[in-house]
Amino acid sequence: MNNSTSSSTTVMNRNSGYPSTAYAWYVVMVLYLIYALSFIDRGIIDFLVDAIRADLGINDFYFSLLKGLSFIALYTVMGIPLGRLADSRSRRNQLAVGIALWCAMTVLCGKANSFFGLFLARMGVGIGEACLVPCAYSLISDYFSREKRSLPLTVFSSGIMFGTFAASIVGGFVSQYTFDAGPMTIPIMGYVKPWQLSFIIVGLPGILFALLMMSIKEPTRKEKKGQADFKTTIQYMLKNWKTYGAIIGGTTFGAMTNGAILGWLIPWFSRRYLWNNIQIGSYLGVCTLVFGSLGNFSSGALANRYIGKGRKAVYIKLMMAAEAIVIIPILLAHAVDNPYWVICCVGGVIFFGGVSSGLGPASLQTITPNEMRGQVTAICFLIIGLVAANVGISAVGWLTSYVFVDDLMVRTSAVIVGLLASVLGVLTLKMGLRAYEHTAGENGQSK
């Protein structure tokens, strides 16, 4: 009797189509490291603000276009077709090609000598990175069963925090090294200025990660209800527009809050407190890793606990609470004028910001059929890119350059945009709460 039961369990596990837990977590860790790499390559520009401004003769607003619009322009547009590919073709191969492309384009940023040259190279980085999130979320969802999926998805999302930590540490040391070394001539690339060399140093090693990506297997697709089709995906989202509008909107405004504060923290500290890049990078990196990871893991643990108790709409309620509470550290960051106290306040912003960045995309995987996940994720990050990384970051630069007309006022500009985004995030999530409960119920979920 016992042998028969054991045999049946073994067959059931084998036929479930899911790989061993150890291997599935290996895949999560590989994707986690690749996610972190993407933030180093896209984030090195944060440490080069004043050097690029001086060399190219631009102000904060034009720099914000290099930082935000150039990267986001094709990152968002290409996300849709690449998300479609993620729903129908090998996600592993697509991601390997994407890694090689964005790292090569990061290196080419080091050969740019004009605003438009750097703008175009940054667009190339965006194209490569556009395939990462749709492929990764879709892969992880096929490596874990529905009831075990929340934690690995949240862990992957925390790659944002480790990536920001790594980008802060690596960016701080690399940029300081290149500034201290001065202009130089290097093989193949020729004569480069310090800020150009910074792009080259962080871009070249990353190409090896494309080989690491090839070490994982393409899993069998599960929980499919049909064939991957963009028209069907749009129809499904329109049918549940209040639900998707709430989750995507709430996640977007949460990202806008983080982008406004963290995206301008380096010039905030360098201009107001005269900190160098190593100081800023070290404190910001550790702060992001500790508080961001705690925010992600705590929200994941709370979600599992409340879901286990049978609570409904857990994801969206936790996101609402976090985006309301984050207003407190944002206000405090402006009220105190001691850099170490400001860092503590920024830690609070990062902690509560980690809730939306982790639970928002995770909830989309739960309420979306398999054949639509890559496309829905791409649409989500398209909107995040257009609003958070483009409008949000540029709004701070615009306020500083054209309203306050004072570089030192970047602190006030960041706080204004961050507060507005937080309020809009709470309102958006609240308006879609009942619709989310309905959609989750139709899909047999209570999350």
Side-chain angles (χ1 to χ4, degrees):
M1 180 74 171
N2 290 337
N3 289 339
S4 175
T5 302
S6 176
S7 176
S8 298
T9 301
T10 301
V11 171
M12 182 177 65
N13 289 339
R14 185 186 303 121
N15 291 338
S16 68
Y18 293 101
S20 68
T21 301
Y23 183 78
W25 275 105
Y26 165 74
V27 173
V28 174
M29 289 300 102
V30 169
L31 294 172
Y32 177 90
L33 290 175
I34 292 171
Y35 204 11
L37 169 70
S38 72
F39 279 85
I40 296 175
D41 286 356
R42 77 173 73 169
I44 184 64
I45 195 171
D46 291 342
F47 290 89
L48 312 173
V49 180
D50 292 329
I52 292 175
R53 278 187 53 185
D55 199 32
L56 302 184
I58 58 177
N59 61 24
D60 272 358
F61 176 68
Y62 280 94
F63 178 82
S64 73
L65 299 181
L66 287 175
K67 175 180 168 60
L69 181 61
S70 64
F71 177 82
I72 292 302
L74 290 184
Y75 178 85
T76 54
V77 172
M78 292 301 296
I80 302 299
L82 290 174
R84 171 71 174 81
L85 284 177
D87 287 332
S88 58
R89 298 289 187 272
S90 172
R91 294 156 287 188
R92 180 197 67 172
N93 294 345
Q94 180 182 331
L95 191 45
V97 172
I99 296 167
L101 175 60
W102 91 56
C103 290
M105 296 306 294
T106 301
V107 173
L108 286 180
C109 286
K111 287 300 294 178
N113 289 301
S114 66
F115 173 84
F116 290 107
L118 185 54
F119 193 97
L120 291 174
R122 287 275 294 172
M123 289 178 71
V125 177
I127 295 174
E129 292 195 18
C131 66
L132 173 56
V133 172
C135 287
Y137 276 110
S138 181
L139 280 169
I140 293 172
S141 296
D142 280 334
Y143 269 104
F144 293 87
S145 59
R146 188 187 294 268
E147 63 274 11
K148 297 179 180 179
R149 193 175 293 154
S150 296
L151 182 58
L153 286 172
T154 302
V155 169
F156 171 73
S157 295
S158 70
I160 297 174
M161 310 309 169
F162 182 71
T164 304
F165 163 76
S168 298
I169 299 298
V170 173
F173 277 92
V174 167
S175 61
Q176 198 64 51
Y177 163 75
T178 59
F179 292 152
D180 291 342
M184 63 177 69
T185 300
I186 59 176
I188 302 177
M189 304 302 290
Y191 177 83
V192 293
K193 297 173 183 178
W195 67 266
Q196 294 172 317
L197 181 59
S198 296
F199 281 112
I200 296 170
I201 290 176
V202 300
L204 279 175
I207 297 175
L208 297 175
F209 279 74
L211 299 177
L212 179 62
M213 187 63 209
M214 297 305 292
S215 70
I216 75 172
K217 300 175 182 178
E218 177 73 18
T220 303
R221 296 179 184 271
K222 306 166 186 72
E223 301 173 16
K224 293 185 65 175
K225 295 183 178 180
Q227 296 298 314
D229 179 74
F230 185 67
K231 180 180 179 181
T232 303
T233 300
I234 295 299
Q235 289 174 340
Y236 183 82
M237 293 184 71
L238 289 175
K239 175 186 174 183
N240 300 282
W241 69 271
K242 288 185 179 180
T243 299
Y244 282 102
I247 293 299
I248 295 175
T251 306
T252 298
F253 286 121
M256 185 175 174
T257 299
N258 276 357
I261 303 297
L262 300 182
W264 289 96
L265 195 68
I266 294 170
W268 175 347
F269 272 60
S270 65
R271 296 171 188 174
R272 195 168 191 87
Y273 307 120
L274 303 181
W275 281 26
N276 63 36
N277 283 351
I278 292 179
Q279 282 180 288
I280 302 170
S282 299
Y283 277 96
L284 177 59
V286 172
C287 184
T288 302
L289 178 63
V290 173
F291 288 98
S293 298
L294 283 174
N296 260 285
F297 296 145
S298 298
S299 63
L302 280 173
N304 285 340
R305 179 180 179 182
Y306 289 132
I307 290 168
K309 291 183 176 181
R311 302 287 179 84
K312 294 183 178 181
V314 171
Y315 286 144
I316 194 170
K317 289 177 180 177
L318 286 176
M319 290 170 66
M320 284 174 59
E323 293 192 25
I325 297 173
V326 79
I327 292 174
I328 298 173
I330 292 175
L331 288 172
L332 288 175
H334 195 274
V336 300
D337 202 20
N338 178 291
Y340 300 101
W341 281 110
V342 173
I343 283 289
C344 292
C345 295
V346 170
V349 175
I350 295 170
F351 178 89
F352 292 108
V355 175
S356 291
S357 67
L359 296 186
S363 67
L364 292 179
Q365 310 308 307
T366 299
I367 63 174
T368 304
N370 184 297
E371 67 276 9
M372 301 179 188
R373 287 174 184 159
Q375 296 164 91
V376 169
T377 302
I379 292 170
C380 174
F381 279 82
L382 178 147
I383 297 171
I384 289 176
L386 291 175
V387 178
N390 187 16
V391 176
I393 290 175
S394 295
V396 175
W398 182 80
L399 284 172
T400 304
S401 297
Y402 298 112
V403 176
F404 298 115
V405 197
D406 183 353
D407 287 351
L408 288 177
M409 293 297 288
V410 67
R411 174 186 70 158
T412 302
S413 301
V415 167
I416 289 173
V417 176
L419 284 174
L420 178 61
S422 296
V423 172
L424 290 174
V426 174
L427 294 176
T428 302
L429 290 165
K430 183 174 177 59
M431 288 189 292
L433 179 58
R434 290 190 177 181
Y436 180 88
E437 292 177 343
H438 177 72
T439 302
E442 284 188 339
N443 283 274
Q445 306 299 310
S446 60
K447 308 173 185 63

